[in-house]
Amino acid sequence: MDNEFFDLAKHALDYGLNLGAEEIEIYAVKGFSRTVQLEKTAISRFSETSGSGIGVRIFKNKAVGMSSTTIFTKENIEKTVKNAFSLSKISQPDPKFQSLPSDDRPIPDIDDLYDEAVENLSVEEFTDLMLQSVEEGKIEKDVIIGGNYGLGKLERIILNSQGIERWCKSTSISGYLSVKIEKEEDIGVAYYYDSSNTLKQFDYIKIGKEAGIRAKKMLGAKKIETKTLPIFLDPESTYGTLSSIVSQGVNAFNVINKTSFFIDKIGDKIATEKLTIIDDPFYPGGINSAKFDDEGVVPKEKTVLVKDGILQTYVTDSYTAPLVGLENTGHASRGTFSSRPVPSVYALQIKEGETSKDSLLEELKEGIFLLGSSIHPSGDSPTISSQINQGFYVKDGEIVHPVKNAVIGGNIYELLNSITYFSKETENRKGHIAPWMLIENLKVSGGK
Amino acid sequence: MIMLDKLSTIINKVELSSKDFLDIRYAQSESETFSVRNGRFDTISNRTSGGIAIRALVDNAWGFTTTVSLETEDILKSVKKAISMARIASKYAKEERRISDKWVFEGKGATEIKIDPRELDKELKLEKIKIIEKSAREFSDNIAQASSTYQEMHKIEYIVNNKGTNVENEYHVIRLMKDVVARRGEKMQSVFDSIGGTGGWELLESWDPEEEGRKSAEQAEKLLDTRSPPSGKMNVIMDESLVGVFIHEAFGHAAEADGVFAKNSVLEGKIGEKIGVEGISVYDDPTIPKLRGSFVFDSEGTKSEKRTIVEKGVLKEYFQTLETATMMEMKPNGAGRAQDFNSIPIPRMANTYVDSGDLSLEEIAEMTKEGVYLKNSYGGYVHPTKGQFYFTCQYGYIIENGEIGELFGNVGMSGMTLEVLNNAYGISKNWKPAFLGTCGKGGQWVPVTGGGPNIGVSNLVVGGK
């Protein structure tokens, strides 16, 4: 642990209490990231940047004030606390605010969230991993490959006046490569991304290889006619689609603000009975795994969100839990050190079905196959109007050609009830687990 | 000035070959965000961010480091690290990369600010959003969520480089937003709008808070009773805000020189070529006072200027940084923007718009015959390599027999960059920089605007049910 940084956070807490804060929370992150940039199949840049900041939340008469900074002098930290305190004085009391959380449970051990090998990887060693993957991406002569590989370390400290005192560290290593193949007027372009907490689980080779294979598949894209068609999704598309819908719907902050897709639906059928989804914060080596949430609360080991199509619960943090009448599930999450926490899911496990993925495709008379291309709702609206970024036209069980300039339309309620099959095979990407999925009859608008 | 002198002293201490490049940029910002949602204060926060960014281009490769320490010794250490990282990277470099000595900028720039919000009572700012939110929330029981947000940001950058650039740049941006969601059962529609720009409190005065809250609530509620949007390939008339997002996504990103240089744009090699109908001209101008995307110097210290991207259907210019301009043997045009000290300057848009034509909206509707008239953009995205883009609107109207008719709710659209400018069939005379947005690229967010006249385009794909 960086003791000096911890002491600075502790000083901020004490300083705030001395100022007259009734409750105070310090959220501090300290870290760095290193990236290697690739342009036109050659290394173009190495970077090392800091990723540190301190956020302060202060409550006075149930009114909140927040302030944050990236400047870590003692003087500036005190100014930041003062800013939060003075904002709390002009802020409006929120009678629904109860208290910052307390939690004296020990934090669990989760394997593979931090890896010394990642922190100590030299820029040359890291570049070597990337270049090996770039070689794999050279699926044809004259391909153009771009992208970046990044690694980082982050220490997270959360202190509050209710006695929360948490610290953890984690590492991450990730890669993104895009491969472009040009053949006369035709362009095939695709990317692949992967990330991990540890070096041993980082499949750096696959990134270039998969991007290359996908780019080749994207050659010969054609426009299609507007039609109602079944959609067959690979695990990445299944995960992206269902997580975007379900995480919006189960978020207790959206529930209290009446924008959740699933208001008053606990115990109700929201989807096909084939759908079961579990949220797992403690998955070893999971890219979203965490020992405690962004308020320092240890989450429940596993939360069943949807069982056999029936909504089981919402995910909450300290503020929203009493407002939806549930216990705090430990799902507080912040976009950055300066944002307020709101609930968010960790890593979803979508239950497999009984049919093989190959037979689902073979039996598809006509439809669209989505590869790493999700169907999203439009923000908080349940309307779906989602562009196909990487999709293929399927006829008589065969992939015929990639499609371009097409949009899938509908709404999320229809979509959830039109899922007809999940495959028995699943893909597990560091705790994100999903099968292939078939959805019946969505409107596909085409440019032909 | 003390900071500029400090950075100049440091840069003079570093020995580099004259063909190499080094710049040091200090960026500090202070911002305030107040937001009220459904009667509760959602966020009431301020944020200060500051630090130093160092870029070294040595032997055809870049090293980039940042530090939050302002001690000369620490800055020097980071400079040395950037240079040593560039040297290691250069072992893997395959082609020439450099920055010309030709362009040196000096001076001090600031966007105009009349009523500095830092000198105003915070209660005054809170009052504005409270009235907007309350007026929207109390409009009807169908209003599920009403929210309003106030933001101000003040940023200062000092930029020096080893070619002689020495620039101080100040920048103030302010924004007032409203977001209203109406809901009846499973049907939900939202309406979003904002005002503001580069400047101070004076830019928010045209909104009557009570009226603005009510207006959005009324519109959101009205959208609950609309038919579903149509689907398929059709003629589309876009309003000024959609034209803004459309030109930004469909075209602007593909004209950013980093993508062009990296062979990731469908506009590569097309300067001087006709890519659209003659009536289409596209400009991007960061020098227009008060607009949200305006600034005096970019984050490399280059003075900003108006760029002519398309003139009468012919591609003229890309968005350039010092490096891309050198490598393409063109001139830099002040497009190198960085979100903060932790980010590298990359080619970005500012205020992008299509020039006006000579028709009225009614005349374009007549030419359209059958199609849709779409209003108020939410945003969009693009794959510049594929040339496929997507954007969304908050609502629209069916056009039948050349007349604008029935209302429908939000929908998304898709099109191809190299087709759309050739498919424009009607351009109106009215003109507005109507879309106020924040553009994301490579993890960096910068304020932008987009706009233009009403434009009719054939063969866009509308993604309704």
Side-chain angles (χ1 to χ4, degrees), chain A residues 46 48 50 64 66-67 69 180 223 260 319 385 389 405 414, chain B residues 40 44 46-48 64 183 263 342 386 390 412 414 419 463 465:
Chain A
F46 289 160
E48 183 163 322
S50 83
V64 67
M66 289 161 64
S67 186
T69 188
K180 177 182 163 188
K223 292 177 181 173
S260 153
Y319 178 73
S385 193
N389 294 324
N405 203 13
E414 286 167 9
Chain B
R40 294 185 297 266
I44 169 158
N46 89 340
R47 177 180 170 145
T48 51
F64 176 65
R183 179 171 198 163
K263 297 189 175 297
N342 243 339
K386 282 197 261 191
Y390 170 84
S414 169
E419 294 174 7
K465 277 171 76 175

PDB file of all heavy atoms in Angstrom, chain A residues 46 48 50 64 66-67 69 180 223 260 319 385 389 405 414, chain B residues 40 44 46-48 64 183 263 342 386 390 412 414 419 463 465:
ATOM      1  N   PHE A  46       4.702   5.052 -27.203  1.00  0.00           N
ATOM      2  CA  PHE A  46       4.593   4.497 -25.853  1.00  0.00           C
ATOM      3  C   PHE A  46       4.099   5.608 -24.935  1.00  0.00           C
ATOM      4  O   PHE A  46       4.567   6.740 -25.035  1.00  0.00           O
ATOM      5  CB  PHE A  46       5.970   4.059 -25.320  1.00  0.00           C
ATOM      6  CG  PHE A  46       6.535   2.828 -25.974  1.00  0.00           C
ATOM      7  CD1 PHE A  46       7.895   2.561 -25.900  1.00  0.00           C
ATOM      8  CD2 PHE A  46       5.719   1.926 -26.648  1.00  0.00           C
ATOM      9  CE1 PHE A  46       8.432   1.427 -26.496  1.00  0.00           C
ATOM     10  CE2 PHE A  46       6.247   0.793 -27.228  1.00  0.00           C
ATOM     11  CZ  PHE A  46       7.603   0.537 -27.161  1.00  0.00           C
ATOM     12  N   GLU A  48       2.962   6.620 -20.730  1.00  0.00           N
ATOM     13  CA  GLU A  48       2.743   6.272 -19.324  1.00  0.00           C
ATOM     14  C   GLU A  48       2.041   7.439 -18.662  1.00  0.00           C
ATOM     15  O   GLU A  48       2.557   8.559 -18.628  1.00  0.00           O
ATOM     16  CB  GLU A  48       4.061   5.959 -18.612  1.00  0.00           C
ATOM     17  CG  GLU A  48       3.787   5.523 -17.183  1.00  0.00           C
ATOM     18  CD  GLU A  48       4.955   4.819 -16.518  1.00  0.00           C
ATOM     19  OE1 GLU A  48       5.662   4.037 -17.186  1.00  0.00           O
ATOM     20  OE2 GLU A  48       5.152   5.053 -15.321  1.00  0.00           O
ATOM     21  N   SER A  50      -0.753   8.977 -15.457  1.00  0.00           N
ATOM     22  CA  SER A  50      -1.202   8.723 -14.093  1.00  0.00           C
ATOM     23  C   SER A  50      -2.711   8.563 -14.098  1.00  0.00           C
ATOM     24  O   SER A  50      -3.397   9.097 -14.953  1.00  0.00           O
ATOM     25  CB  SER A  50      -0.811   9.894 -13.204  1.00  0.00           C
ATOM     26  OG  SER A  50      -1.756  10.926 -13.311  1.00  0.00           O
ATOM     27  N   VAL A  64     -26.065  16.970   0.567  1.00  0.00           N
ATOM     28  CA  VAL A  64     -24.749  16.484   0.134  1.00  0.00           C
ATOM     29  C   VAL A  64     -23.964  17.561  -0.610  1.00  0.00           C
ATOM     30  O   VAL A  64     -24.536  18.414  -1.289  1.00  0.00           O
ATOM     31  CB  VAL A  64     -24.918  15.228  -0.768  1.00  0.00           C
ATOM     32  CG1 VAL A  64     -25.593  15.563  -2.082  1.00  0.00           C
ATOM     33  CG2 VAL A  64     -23.565  14.549  -1.020  1.00  0.00           C
ATOM     34  N   MET A  66     -20.138  17.595  -2.939  1.00  0.00           N
ATOM     35  CA  MET A  66     -19.058  16.733  -3.431  1.00  0.00           C
ATOM     36  C   MET A  66     -17.949  17.572  -4.062  1.00  0.00           C
ATOM     37  O   MET A  66     -18.222  18.611  -4.654  1.00  0.00           O
ATOM     38  CB  MET A  66     -19.593  15.770  -4.499  1.00  0.00           C
ATOM     39  CG  MET A  66     -20.500  14.688  -3.962  1.00  0.00           C
ATOM     40  SD  MET A  66     -21.489  13.959  -5.275  1.00  0.00           S
ATOM     41  CE  MET A  66     -20.224  13.232  -6.289  1.00  0.00           C
ATOM     42  N   SER A  67     -16.731  17.077  -3.961  1.00  0.00           N
ATOM     43  CA  SER A  67     -15.611  17.775  -4.591  1.00  0.00           C
ATOM     44  C   SER A  67     -14.523  16.754  -4.894  1.00  0.00           C
ATOM     45  O   SER A  67     -14.438  15.722  -4.235  1.00  0.00           O
ATOM     46  CB  SER A  67     -15.090  18.847  -3.638  1.00  0.00           C
ATOM     47  OG  SER A  67     -14.111  19.616  -4.280  1.00  0.00           O
ATOM     48  N   THR A  69     -10.337  16.148  -6.821  1.00  0.00           N
ATOM     49  CA  THR A  69      -9.122  16.765  -7.367  1.00  0.00           C
ATOM     50  C   THR A  69      -8.104  15.721  -7.814  1.00  0.00           C
ATOM     51  O   THR A  69      -8.147  14.576  -7.368  1.00  0.00           O
ATOM     52  CB  THR A  69      -8.466  17.705  -6.325  1.00  0.00           C
ATOM     53  OG1 THR A  69      -7.406  18.428  -6.958  1.00  0.00           O
ATOM     54  CG2 THR A  69      -7.893  16.934  -5.144  1.00  0.00           C
ATOM     55  N   LYS A 180      -7.601  -4.442 -41.198  1.00  0.00           N
ATOM     56  CA  LYS A 180      -8.320  -4.004 -42.401  1.00  0.00           C
ATOM     57  C   LYS A 180      -7.718  -4.702 -43.621  1.00  0.00           C
ATOM     58  O   LYS A 180      -6.503  -4.692 -43.818  1.00  0.00           O
ATOM     59  CB  LYS A 180      -8.166  -2.484 -42.533  1.00  0.00           C
ATOM     60  CG  LYS A 180      -8.803  -1.896 -43.779  1.00  0.00           C
ATOM     61  CD  LYS A 180      -8.519  -0.390 -43.795  1.00  0.00           C
ATOM     62  CE  LYS A 180      -8.748   0.190 -45.164  1.00  0.00           C
ATOM     63  NZ  LYS A 180      -8.303   1.590 -45.240  1.00  0.00           N
ATOM     64  N   LYS A 223     -25.916  -4.840 -48.967  1.00  0.00           N
ATOM     65  CA  LYS A 223     -27.150  -4.329 -48.362  1.00  0.00           C
ATOM     66  C   LYS A 223     -28.234  -5.391 -48.488  1.00  0.00           C
ATOM     67  O   LYS A 223     -28.215  -6.206 -49.420  1.00  0.00           O
ATOM     68  CB  LYS A 223     -27.583  -3.052 -49.081  1.00  0.00           C
ATOM     69  CG  LYS A 223     -26.621  -1.891 -48.848  1.00  0.00           C
ATOM     70  CD  LYS A 223     -27.047  -0.673 -49.623  1.00  0.00           C
ATOM     71  CE  LYS A 223     -26.054   0.451 -49.400  1.00  0.00           C
ATOM     72  NZ  LYS A 223     -26.320   1.613 -50.252  1.00  0.00           N
ATOM     73  N   SER A 260     -36.620   2.661 -14.801  1.00  0.00           N
ATOM     74  CA  SER A 260     -36.216   1.262 -14.983  1.00  0.00           C
ATOM     75  C   SER A 260     -37.197   0.546 -15.914  1.00  0.00           C
ATOM     76  O   SER A 260     -38.393   0.803 -15.879  1.00  0.00           O
ATOM     77  CB  SER A 260     -36.192   0.553 -13.630  1.00  0.00           C
ATOM     78  OG  SER A 260     -36.416  -0.832 -13.798  1.00  0.00           O
ATOM     79  N   TYR A 319     -27.839   4.241  -0.661  1.00  0.00           N
ATOM     80  CA  TYR A 319     -28.918   5.224  -0.797  1.00  0.00           C
ATOM     81  C   TYR A 319     -30.215   4.579  -1.293  1.00  0.00           C
ATOM     82  O   TYR A 319     -31.296   4.837  -0.770  1.00  0.00           O
ATOM     83  CB  TYR A 319     -28.486   6.345  -1.760  1.00  0.00           C
ATOM     84  CG  TYR A 319     -29.561   7.391  -1.994  1.00  0.00           C
ATOM     85  CD1 TYR A 319     -29.869   8.320  -0.999  1.00  0.00           C
ATOM     86  CD2 TYR A 319     -30.269   7.439  -3.194  1.00  0.00           C
ATOM     87  CE1 TYR A 319     -30.866   9.268  -1.191  1.00  0.00           C
ATOM     88  CE2 TYR A 319     -31.270   8.388  -3.394  1.00  0.00           C
ATOM     89  CZ  TYR A 319     -31.563   9.300  -2.392  1.00  0.00           C
ATOM     90  OH  TYR A 319     -32.554  10.234  -2.582  1.00  0.00           O
ATOM     91  N   SER A 385     -33.445   0.474 -31.687  1.00  0.00           N
ATOM     92  CA  SER A 385     -33.204   0.894 -33.063  1.00  0.00           C
ATOM     93  C   SER A 385     -31.700   0.859 -33.206  1.00  0.00           C
ATOM     94  O   SER A 385     -31.018   1.850 -33.039  1.00  0.00           O
ATOM     95  CB  SER A 385     -33.766   2.315 -33.261  1.00  0.00           C
ATOM     96  OG  SER A 385     -33.826   2.642 -34.619  1.00  0.00           O
ATOM     97  N   ASN A 389     -23.456  -3.751 -36.570  1.00  0.00           N
ATOM     98  CA  ASN A 389     -22.067  -3.381 -36.837  1.00  0.00           C
ATOM     99  C   ASN A 389     -21.288  -4.537 -37.468  1.00  0.00           C
ATOM    100  O   ASN A 389     -20.423  -4.329 -38.290  1.00  0.00           O
ATOM    101  CB  ASN A 389     -21.388  -2.923 -35.553  1.00  0.00           C
ATOM    102  CG  ASN A 389     -21.988  -1.639 -35.045  1.00  0.00           C
ATOM    103  OD1 ASN A 389     -22.372  -0.769 -35.837  1.00  0.00           O
ATOM    104  ND2 ASN A 389     -22.130  -1.500 -33.738  1.00  0.00           N
ATOM    105  N   ASN A 405     -25.149  -1.375 -43.602  1.00  0.00           N
ATOM    106  CA  ASN A 405     -26.203  -0.371 -43.592  1.00  0.00           C
ATOM    107  C   ASN A 405     -27.570  -0.944 -43.212  1.00  0.00           C
ATOM    108  O   ASN A 405     -28.549  -0.751 -43.932  1.00  0.00           O
ATOM    109  CB  ASN A 405     -26.254   0.309 -44.970  1.00  0.00           C
ATOM    110  CG  ASN A 405     -26.885   1.689 -44.920  1.00  0.00           C
ATOM    111  OD1 ASN A 405     -27.066   2.242 -43.843  1.00  0.00           O
ATOM    112  ND2 ASN A 405     -27.239   2.223 -46.059  1.00  0.00           N
ATOM    113  N   GLU A 414     -40.513  -7.000 -26.194  1.00  0.00           N
ATOM    114  CA  GLU A 414     -40.701  -8.001 -27.253  1.00  0.00           C
ATOM    115  C   GLU A 414     -39.472  -8.885 -27.360  1.00  0.00           C
ATOM    116  O   GLU A 414     -39.559 -10.103 -27.488  1.00  0.00           O
ATOM    117  CB  GLU A 414     -40.859  -7.307 -28.613  1.00  0.00           C
ATOM    118  CG  GLU A 414     -42.176  -6.641 -28.837  1.00  0.00           C
ATOM    119  CD  GLU A 414     -42.118  -5.718 -30.066  1.00  0.00           C
ATOM    120  OE1 GLU A 414     -41.108  -5.741 -30.815  1.00  0.00           O
ATOM    121  OE2 GLU A 414     -43.072  -4.971 -30.236  1.00  0.00           O
TER     122      GLU A 414
ATOM    123  N   ARG B  40     -34.776  15.785  -6.061  1.00  0.00           N
ATOM    124  CA  ARG B  40     -33.618  15.592  -5.179  1.00  0.00           C
ATOM    125  C   ARG B  40     -32.349  16.082  -5.862  1.00  0.00           C
ATOM    126  O   ARG B  40     -32.225  15.982  -7.083  1.00  0.00           O
ATOM    127  CB  ARG B  40     -33.429  14.093  -4.879  1.00  0.00           C
ATOM    128  CG  ARG B  40     -34.525  13.453  -4.082  1.00  0.00           C
ATOM    129  CD  ARG B  40     -34.161  12.007  -3.751  1.00  0.00           C
ATOM    130  NE  ARG B  40     -34.021  11.194  -4.950  1.00  0.00           N
ATOM    131  CZ  ARG B  40     -35.007  10.468  -5.470  1.00  0.00           C
ATOM    132  NH1 ARG B  40     -36.193  10.443  -4.912  1.00  0.00           N
ATOM    133  NH2 ARG B  40     -34.818   9.746  -6.554  1.00  0.00           N
ATOM    134  N   ILE B  44     -23.975  17.629  -6.614  1.00  0.00           N
ATOM    135  CA  ILE B  44     -23.606  19.017  -6.384  1.00  0.00           C
ATOM    136  C   ILE B  44     -22.120  18.955  -6.092  1.00  0.00           C
ATOM    137  O   ILE B  44     -21.686  18.598  -5.010  1.00  0.00           O
ATOM    138  CB  ILE B  44     -24.484  19.675  -5.293  1.00  0.00           C
ATOM    139  CG1 ILE B  44     -23.906  21.020  -4.886  1.00  0.00           C
ATOM    140  CG2 ILE B  44     -24.724  18.815  -4.076  1.00  0.00           C
ATOM    141  CD1 ILE B  44     -24.924  21.956  -4.250  1.00  0.00           C
ATOM    142  N   ASN B  46     -17.835  20.045  -7.248  1.00  0.00           N
ATOM    143  CA  ASN B  46     -16.846  20.766  -8.041  1.00  0.00           C
ATOM    144  C   ASN B  46     -15.623  19.874  -8.205  1.00  0.00           C
ATOM    145  O   ASN B  46     -15.450  18.896  -7.492  1.00  0.00           O
ATOM    146  CB  ASN B  46     -16.554  22.140  -7.436  1.00  0.00           C
ATOM    147  CG  ASN B  46     -15.445  22.117  -6.430  1.00  0.00           C
ATOM    148  OD1 ASN B  46     -15.107  21.067  -5.887  1.00  0.00           O
ATOM    149  ND2 ASN B  46     -14.879  23.265  -6.182  1.00  0.00           N
ATOM    150  N   ARG B  47     -14.831  20.191  -9.205  1.00  0.00           N
ATOM    151  CA  ARG B  47     -13.705  19.318  -9.521  1.00  0.00           C
ATOM    152  C   ARG B  47     -12.530  20.152  -9.995  1.00  0.00           C
ATOM    153  O   ARG B  47     -12.705  21.035 -10.841  1.00  0.00           O
ATOM    154  CB  ARG B  47     -14.144  18.359 -10.626  1.00  0.00           C
ATOM    155  CG  ARG B  47     -13.044  17.455 -11.096  1.00  0.00           C
ATOM    156  CD  ARG B  47     -13.506  16.517 -12.204  1.00  0.00           C
ATOM    157  NE  ARG B  47     -12.315  15.872 -12.735  1.00  0.00           N
ATOM    158  CZ  ARG B  47     -12.262  14.630 -13.170  1.00  0.00           C
ATOM    159  NH1 ARG B  47     -13.324  13.895 -13.184  1.00  0.00           N
ATOM    160  NH2 ARG B  47     -11.132  14.121 -13.610  1.00  0.00           N
ATOM    161  N   THR B  48     -11.367  19.904  -9.452  1.00  0.00           N
ATOM    162  CA  THR B  48     -10.174  20.535 -10.004  1.00  0.00           C
ATOM    163  C   THR B  48      -9.270  19.434 -10.531  1.00  0.00           C
ATOM    164  O   THR B  48      -9.164  18.363  -9.945  1.00  0.00           O
ATOM    165  CB  THR B  48      -9.384  21.325  -8.939  1.00  0.00           C
ATOM    166  OG1 THR B  48      -9.174  20.472  -7.814  1.00  0.00           O
ATOM    167  CG2 THR B  48     -10.107  22.559  -8.496  1.00  0.00           C
ATOM    168  N   PHE B  64       5.097   9.429 -24.469  1.00  0.00           N
ATOM    169  CA  PHE B  64       4.158  10.359 -23.829  1.00  0.00           C
ATOM    170  C   PHE B  64       4.082  10.046 -22.346  1.00  0.00           C
ATOM    171  O   PHE B  64       3.854   8.894 -21.967  1.00  0.00           O
ATOM    172  CB  PHE B  64       2.778  10.219 -24.483  1.00  0.00           C
ATOM    173  CG  PHE B  64       1.703  11.074 -23.846  1.00  0.00           C
ATOM    174  CD1 PHE B  64       1.780  12.458 -23.890  1.00  0.00           C
ATOM    175  CD2 PHE B  64       0.609  10.497 -23.211  1.00  0.00           C
ATOM    176  CE1 PHE B  64       0.793  13.261 -23.310  1.00  0.00           C
ATOM    177  CE2 PHE B  64      -0.382  11.280 -22.629  1.00  0.00           C
ATOM    178  CZ  PHE B  64      -0.288  12.672 -22.684  1.00  0.00           C
ATOM    179  N   ARG B 183     -43.733   8.545 -19.160  1.00  0.00           N
ATOM    180  CA  ARG B 183     -43.926   7.106 -19.169  1.00  0.00           C
ATOM    181  C   ARG B 183     -45.382   6.755 -18.937  1.00  0.00           C
ATOM    182  O   ARG B 183     -46.037   7.330 -18.071  1.00  0.00           O
ATOM    183  CB  ARG B 183     -43.077   6.483 -18.066  1.00  0.00           C
ATOM    184  CG  ARG B 183     -43.222   4.986 -17.970  1.00  0.00           C
ATOM    185  CD  ARG B 183     -42.221   4.394 -17.019  1.00  0.00           C
ATOM    186  NE  ARG B 183     -42.118   2.965 -17.277  1.00  0.00           N
ATOM    187  CZ  ARG B 183     -41.139   2.192 -16.877  1.00  0.00           C
ATOM    188  NH1 ARG B 183     -40.160   2.695 -16.182  1.00  0.00           N
ATOM    189  NH2 ARG B 183     -41.127   0.901 -17.151  1.00  0.00           N
ATOM    190  N   LYS B 263      -4.610   5.042 -42.567  1.00  0.00           N
ATOM    191  CA  LYS B 263      -5.359   4.271 -43.577  1.00  0.00           C
ATOM    192  C   LYS B 263      -6.641   3.682 -42.997  1.00  0.00           C
ATOM    193  O   LYS B 263      -7.058   2.576 -43.332  1.00  0.00           O
ATOM    194  CB  LYS B 263      -4.478   3.169 -44.189  1.00  0.00           C
ATOM    195  CG  LYS B 263      -3.275   3.724 -44.940  1.00  0.00           C
ATOM    196  CD  LYS B 263      -2.553   2.640 -45.709  1.00  0.00           C
ATOM    197  CE  LYS B 263      -1.425   3.196 -46.569  1.00  0.00           C
ATOM    198  NZ  LYS B 263      -1.868   4.111 -47.631  1.00  0.00           N
ATOM    199  N   ASN B 342      -3.946  14.445 -19.008  1.00  0.00           N
ATOM    200  CA  ASN B 342      -3.646  13.018 -19.111  1.00  0.00           C
ATOM    201  C   ASN B 342      -3.879  12.470 -20.515  1.00  0.00           C
ATOM    202  O   ASN B 342      -3.801  11.269 -20.733  1.00  0.00           O
ATOM    203  CB  ASN B 342      -4.528  12.251 -18.122  1.00  0.00           C
ATOM    204  CG  ASN B 342      -3.703  11.551 -17.068  1.00  0.00           C
ATOM    205  OD1 ASN B 342      -2.509  11.314 -17.272  1.00  0.00           O
ATOM    206  ND2 ASN B 342      -4.317  11.220 -15.966  1.00  0.00           N
ATOM    207  N   LYS B 386     -15.023   1.657 -42.341  1.00  0.00           N
ATOM    208  CA  LYS B 386     -16.068   1.068 -43.181  1.00  0.00           C
ATOM    209  C   LYS B 386     -16.880   2.138 -43.889  1.00  0.00           C
ATOM    210  O   LYS B 386     -17.556   1.889 -44.860  1.00  0.00           O
ATOM    211  CB  LYS B 386     -17.056   0.283 -42.302  1.00  0.00           C
ATOM    212  CG  LYS B 386     -16.580  -1.055 -41.857  1.00  0.00           C
ATOM    213  CD  LYS B 386     -17.754  -1.886 -41.370  1.00  0.00           C
ATOM    214  CE  LYS B 386     -17.875  -1.872 -39.871  1.00  0.00           C
ATOM    215  NZ  LYS B 386     -18.822  -2.855 -39.329  1.00  0.00           N
ATOM    216  N   TYR B 390     -24.202   5.908 -37.904  1.00  0.00           N
ATOM    217  CA  TYR B 390     -25.494   5.713 -37.247  1.00  0.00           C
ATOM    218  C   TYR B 390     -25.808   6.958 -36.447  1.00  0.00           C
ATOM    219  O   TYR B 390     -24.916   7.546 -35.836  1.00  0.00           O
ATOM    220  CB  TYR B 390     -25.386   4.503 -36.324  1.00  0.00           C
ATOM    221  CG  TYR B 390     -26.558   4.290 -35.395  1.00  0.00           C
ATOM    222  CD1 TYR B 390     -27.684   3.609 -35.832  1.00  0.00           C
ATOM    223  CD2 TYR B 390     -26.528   4.752 -34.086  1.00  0.00           C
ATOM    224  CE1 TYR B 390     -28.768   3.404 -34.984  1.00  0.00           C
ATOM    225  CE2 TYR B 390     -27.604   4.551 -33.232  1.00  0.00           C
ATOM    226  CZ  TYR B 390     -28.717   3.877 -33.694  1.00  0.00           C
ATOM    227  OH  TYR B 390     -29.783   3.678 -32.852  1.00  0.00           O
ATOM    228  N   GLY B 412     -33.508   5.335 -34.754  1.00  0.00           N
ATOM    229  CA  GLY B 412     -32.126   5.455 -35.221  1.00  0.00           C
ATOM    230  C   GLY B 412     -32.026   5.249 -36.722  1.00  0.00           C
ATOM    231  O   GLY B 412     -32.922   4.659 -37.337  1.00  0.00           O
ATOM    232  N   SER B 414     -29.201   4.629 -40.258  1.00  0.00           N
ATOM    233  CA  SER B 414     -27.886   4.183 -40.692  1.00  0.00           C
ATOM    234  C   SER B 414     -27.657   4.640 -42.133  1.00  0.00           C
ATOM    235  O   SER B 414     -28.589   4.729 -42.926  1.00  0.00           O
ATOM    236  CB  SER B 414     -27.855   2.660 -40.604  1.00  0.00           C
ATOM    237  OG  SER B 414     -26.726   2.143 -41.240  1.00  0.00           O
ATOM    238  N   GLU B 419     -21.921   7.681 -49.779  1.00  0.00           N
ATOM    239  CA  GLU B 419     -23.158   7.784 -50.567  1.00  0.00           C
ATOM    240  C   GLU B 419     -23.953   9.033 -50.226  1.00  0.00           C
ATOM    241  O   GLU B 419     -24.551   9.657 -51.105  1.00  0.00           O
ATOM    242  CB  GLU B 419     -24.058   6.560 -50.311  1.00  0.00           C
ATOM    243  CG  GLU B 419     -23.467   5.267 -50.818  1.00  0.00           C
ATOM    244  CD  GLU B 419     -24.325   4.060 -50.416  1.00  0.00           C
ATOM    245  OE1 GLU B 419     -25.432   4.262 -49.874  1.00  0.00           O
ATOM    246  OE2 GLU B 419     -23.861   2.930 -50.637  1.00  0.00           O
ATOM    247  N   GLY B 463     -34.625   2.849 -38.776  1.00  0.00           N
ATOM    248  CA  GLY B 463     -34.752   1.564 -38.073  1.00  0.00           C
ATOM    249  C   GLY B 463     -35.921   1.468 -37.127  1.00  0.00           C
ATOM    250  O   GLY B 463     -35.747   1.181 -35.944  1.00  0.00           O
ATOM    251  N   LYS B 465     -40.017  -0.127 -36.310  1.00  0.00           N
ATOM    252  CA  LYS B 465     -40.559  -1.492 -36.234  1.00  0.00           C
ATOM    253  C   LYS B 465     -41.272  -1.894 -37.516  1.00  0.00           C
ATOM    254  O   LYS B 465     -42.003  -1.117 -38.084  1.00  0.00           O
ATOM    255  CB  LYS B 465     -41.565  -1.561 -35.089  1.00  0.00           C
ATOM    256  CG  LYS B 465     -40.919  -1.776 -33.763  1.00  0.00           C
ATOM    257  CD  LYS B 465     -41.921  -1.618 -32.666  1.00  0.00           C
ATOM    258  CE  LYS B 465     -42.833  -2.847 -32.577  1.00  0.00           C
ATOM    259  NZ  LYS B 465     -43.750  -2.760 -31.427  1.00  0.00           N
TER     260      LYS B 465
END
